[in-house]
Amino acid sequence: MSLRRVTRRDMLLTSAATAGISATNAAQAGATTQPDTRRMPESKRPLSIVCVGAHPDDPEETSFGTLARYAEAGHRVTVLYLTRGERGIRGKSLDEAAAIRTAEAEAACKIIGATPVFAGQIDGDTEVNTRRIADFTKLLAAQKPDVVFTHWPIDTHADHQAASILTQQAHLQVKEDRFRLYFFEVESGYQSLGFVPQIYVDISATLAKKRSAFFCHVSQHGEETYRAHSEIIERFRGREIGVTAAETFIPMARNDRGAALPGLDAL
């Protein structure tokens, strides 16, 4: 093998060529001082967290302990209600019930620092069709979600099923920056059927916020419902992992089995 002596001229030519390449690359990349946070690792940036519930009080009962943890950690939390609970108050017109339950949902979201959004369907008359899927997908995509929670699809309530299917369809249609999807349980054994938790979230530290938010739903007898259903489940789920209270989820994607939720510390 022959050795070639590197001259000063060689070094200057190499430096000039390298500088030219670097300048070209920078120009092509469109160098900017504002990083694209959507491309940053999940552990290094605030996430957009969305919870989809069929009615006001569904997210509060099932996921508000977890959502409160996200909000306290600096993430953006949106609660997307499919309906305004129009048929949820006996003796009230649809509009009257909607106004009352919307106010309750807004008060609940304020407690944990979440933003309420309403999809515009009608309680007890929800639809899943091509138009509804397109409208819902557009609304959900506008939140630029990283993580989405919604109903477990095997549920005794048709509105819960509709919310779940619409969210699943949105998940499949949003191909770029696809969000992670997780299912929550609603009064398992009574409404959610065959729900076997795969992810547990310790909500002991945010339990008080969850209760206060759920109790905002006076029209739904929030405190009574909590004592009869929610408290039993969250205590039992907590017992399964050795904490005071927990909420549980099932991931849509198989590779998320047993993993911690993005943006929250693992148990």
Side-chain angles (χ1 to χ4, degrees):
M1 184 174 96
S2 60
L3 297 177
R4 179 175 179 274
R5 181 169 177 264
V6 179
T7 66
R8 176 180 173 82
R9 180 174 180 275
D10 292 332
M11 295 176 64
L12 291 173
L13 289 174
T14 299
S15 298
T18 301
I21 293 172
S22 299
T24 300
N25 288 344
Q28 290 175 344
T32 176
T33 58
Q34 298 296 326
D36 182 1
T37 59
R38 293 282 293 172
R39 302 301 179 187
M40 294 171 63
E42 289 177 340
S43 60
K44 301 295 184 181
R45 64 179 173 86
L47 302 180
S48 173
I49 311 299
V50 180
C51 183
V52 178
H55 316 98
D57 83 348
D58 286 332
E60 288 85 333
E61 182 177 8
T62 62
S63 308
F64 258 42
T66 300
L67 298 181
R69 281 193 55 180
Y70 270 116
E72 289 181 359
H75 301 292
R76 178 164 60 91
V77 177
T78 303
V79 182
L80 177 51
Y81 300 98
L82 185 61
T83 77
R84 294 178 184 267
E86 290 84 351
R87 287 188 169 87
I89 306 177
R90 183 174 299 178
K92 298 290 186 181
S93 69
L94 298 187
D95 289 342
E96 289 172 332
I100 292 170
R101 298 195 66 186
T102 296
E104 291 173 343
E106 291 172 344
C109 286
K110 185 176 182 179
I111 288 174
I112 68 166
T115 301
V117 175
F118 298 88
Q121 290 218 41
I122 302 299
D123 180 10
D125 195 25
T126 53
E127 299 176 330
V128 177
N129 54 42
T130 302
R131 180 177 65 85
R132 290 294 192 181
I133 291 172
D135 290 346
F136 185 82
T137 298
K138 183 178 180 180
L139 179 61
L140 182 56
Q143 312 308 318
K144 299 186 182 302
D146 296 291
V147 176
V148 176
F149 301 99
T150 194
H151 291 270
W152 175 241
I154 308 174
D155 196 285
T156 60
H157 200 305
D159 289 345
H160 294 186
Q161 295 176 22
S164 183
I165 294 171
L166 288 168
T167 307
Q168 291 177 64
Q169 286 297 312
H171 178 261
L172 295 172
Q173 292 193 29
V174 178
K175 294 182 173 57
E176 294 185 7
D177 296 324
R178 177 169 288 172
F179 54 82
R180 297 193 189 186
L181 178 57
Y182 301 87
F183 302 109
F184 55 68
E185 59 181 327
V186 182
E187 300 175 12
S188 283
Y190 177 64
Q191 291 190 4
S192 295
L193 305 177
F195 187 93
V196 180
Q198 296 178 18
I199 296 174
Y200 289 75
V201 176
D202 181 2
I203 63 167
S204 305
T206 54
L207 188 55
K209 281 186 178 181
K210 176 182 178 177
R211 287 175 178 167
S212 296
F214 193 34
F215 293 174
C216 287
H217 293 275
V218 177
S219 72
Q220 304 306 296
H221 312 288
E223 188 166 355
E224 179 182 337
T225 301
Y226 177 79
R227 303 299 179 195
H229 298 284
S230 307
E231 185 174 34
I232 295 171
I233 291 174
E234 68 192 19
R235 295 285 183 181
F236 177 73
R237 296 309 187 195
R239 176 173 291 186
E240 289 184 303
I241 58 170
V243 300
T244 300
E247 291 172 342
T248 61
F249 306 93
I250 296 176
M252 177 77 163
R254 291 182 179 178
N255 61 2
D256 281 340
R257 289 175 65 90
L261 291 175
L264 290 185
D265 295 333
L267 292 175

